[in-house]
Amino acid sequence: MALHGKEKVGVLLVNTGTPSAPEPKAVKRYLAQFLMDKHIAPMTRFIWWFILHFAILPKRSVASAEKYRRIWTPEGSPLLVTHKALAAALEARLESEGFDAPVRIAMSYGEPPIKKALRDFCELECDRIVVLPLYPQTAHSTTLSVKDGVARAVRRAHWKGDTTVVEGYAEHPSYIRALAASIEHAGFGRQPGDRLVFSFHSIPLVDIEDGDTYELQTGSTSLHVADELGLDRKTWTISYHCRFDNARTWLSPFTKDTLARLAEVDDGRTFIVCPGFSVDCLETRFDVEIEFGDLYRESLRAAGHPADDSRFVYVPCLNRSRAHVRALCDVLRPYLGEGERHHE
């Protein structure tokens, strides 16, 4: 285990997941695992299984595969490629601060699974594990699913060391500064009339009734970033996207409606940022950047306004940026003990 009294702590970054290829068969396999999660499924497991496999997946896997092809890279899934780069950069930074903390990635659904990371940590003879779900704002459908997945993997791997799951970091100063800097870097505020939309993945209101504090966290993150940027309240708003079904009531206002409303006012550019996503994925790269961009320009034209591409600006996720690596390092540092030199 630890050598010379120095503790080795395995760091596990967990996100939702990605199909292995932009093909219907691979997408169907991924979605079947994802949408059968008890924290995601909209009804009892038995009934939902039949609806999902016979009514939803046959069509959705084909449609989603086409979307994935639009954003796929030569190296593979952009989500997976960026996660690997982020993990490598974070490990290097932690090492530079004197921490013996190997970093691995895992997905709640698809590859690589959590159990593989646990095997790696066992082989590396780690003393304990710190799990960081890459969801700044916690939710039953995301962070709680990670906790369940980690608990199952720990039992099956017979891991005997301590395992700590980091709760969300919606208000962490380093995360807030990194978000604000990314918005400024995208050009926000350089022209009169610029407006900012904070768009988060929606959740069913039943989850909030069950104690989910996600809505409060999204509001807190947005308010802190707006304060960091010194924004007037009239220049920014919060909305939610990707409602999964119509059988349940979902957290709103919806981003599509917000963009349509903003397009009626021809007084500047609209920037949209997704603070709930650490790394760009299908939802941000396609649903938000492409589909919402097209929707916004169509709404501008319908209102009789110019609809050039510069009117809608998508702010990328923090991804593998140095600011993101620094923020995650700052979030993790209290869980890692003492390094061998002071951090910046």
Side-chain angles (χ1 to χ4, degrees):
M1 303 295 278
L3 299 177
H4 309 299
K6 185 176 181 180
E7 187 180 40
K8 178 178 286 189
V9 184
V11 174
L12 180 58
L13 306 180
V14 186
N15 212 317
T16 302
T18 175
S20 58
E23 304 297 335
K25 185 176 181 180
V27 173
K28 184 177 182 180
R29 183 167 55 249
Y30 164 70
L31 289 178
Q33 183 185 7
F34 173 36
L35 297 177
M36 282 303 297
D37 187 312
K38 66 180 181 180
H39 299 297
I40 306 294
M43 60 189 70
T44 60
R45 185 177 182 85
F46 179 77
I47 297 175
W48 176 238
W49 189 94
F50 281 95
I51 294 175
L52 179 64
H53 285 80
F54 291 99
I56 296 177
L57 289 180
K59 293 182 178 180
R60 183 160 181 171
S61 59
V62 174
S64 293
E66 180 56 36
K67 293 181 180 180
Y68 274 110
R69 292 190 193 102
R70 296 276 300 273
I71 68 165
W72 213 255
T73 72
E75 295 79 19
S77 163
L79 179 74
L80 185 57
V81 170
T82 305
H83 265 84
K84 290 179 178 178
L86 176 61
L90 179 60
E91 181 174 290
R93 183 178 178 95
L94 290 173
E95 183 179 4
S96 74
E97 295 194 7
F99 292 105
D100 190 2
V103 180
R104 297 292 182 269
I105 64 168
M107 302 296 174
S108 291
Y109 322 101
E111 299 289 335
I114 296 172
K115 62 182 179 181
K116 181 182 183 303
L118 259 62
R119 287 197 298 266
D120 288 350
F121 292 140
C122 288
E123 293 174 1
L124 291 167
E125 298 186 322
C126 291
D127 297 283
R128 57 189 178 89
I129 298 171
V130 175
V131 180
L132 178 61
L134 286 179
Y135 309 111
Q137 301 78 27
T138 64
H140 291 173
S141 56
T142 52
T143 312
L144 191 53
S145 289
V146 171
K147 288 182 176 180
D148 287 352
V150 169
R152 285 193 300 269
V154 164
R155 289 194 301 269
R156 293 170 182 173
H158 304 291
W159 169 256
K160 302 301 182 184
D162 290 337
T163 303
T164 302
V165 179
V166 180
E167 293 293 342
Y169 46 101
E171 298 179 1
H172 196 286
S174 290
Y175 161 67
I176 297 299
R177 286 193 296 269
L179 272 178
S182 72
I183 294 167
E184 286 184 323
H185 182 72
F188 179 79
R190 297 178 187 174
Q191 294 183 17
D194 283 353
R195 296 163 299 192
L196 180 63
V197 176
F198 294 95
S199 186
F200 297 86
H201 194 295
S202 186
I203 63 170
L205 290 188
V206 66
D207 287 356
I208 297 176
E209 294 167 0
D210 287 341
D212 196 321
T213 61
Y214 177 76
E215 181 182 15
L216 298 176
Q217 295 174 68
T218 61
S220 180
T221 293
S222 303
L223 182 59
H224 278 76
V225 173
D227 286 346
E228 181 73 18
L229 292 170
L231 303 184
D232 183 278
R233 185 60 185 87
K234 296 180 180 179
T235 64
W236 62 274
T237 190
I238 304 172
S239 62
Y240 301 89
H241 62 264
C242 282
R243 174 178 52 183
F244 176 64
D245 61 76
N246 294 320
R248 296 172 290 180
T249 304
W250 290 72
L251 183 58
S252 60
F254 297 121
T255 302
K256 292 174 65 174
D257 298 334
T258 297
L259 291 175
R261 175 176 57 80
L262 291 177
E264 296 178 358
V265 183
D266 184 28
D267 63 350
R269 301 177 299 174
T270 294
F271 287 69
I272 187 167
V273 64
C274 300
F277 294 83
S278 298
V279 173
D280 276 308
C281 58
L282 181 71
E283 193 167 319
T284 61
R285 293 284 307 280
F286 190 89
D287 296 346
V288 175
E289 183 176 11
I290 296 176
E291 288 194 333
F292 284 172
D294 290 343
L295 169 69
Y296 185 71
R297 285 183 285 272
E298 290 174 6
S299 298
L300 283 173
R301 284 190 286 269
H305 303 314
D308 59 273
D309 290 343
S310 67
R311 298 296 303 278
F312 180 89
V313 182
Y314 170 67
V315 180
C317 293
L318 296 177
N319 293 320
R320 183 252 174 266
S321 65
R322 285 183 293 179
H324 194 198
V325 172
R326 184 184 306 111
L328 295 184
C329 187
D330 290 345
V331 170
L332 286 164
R333 193 177 290 109
Y335 300 88
L336 299 180
E338 294 295 329
E340 294 182 348
R341 73 170 182 84
H342 295 295
H343 59 271
E344 296 175 0

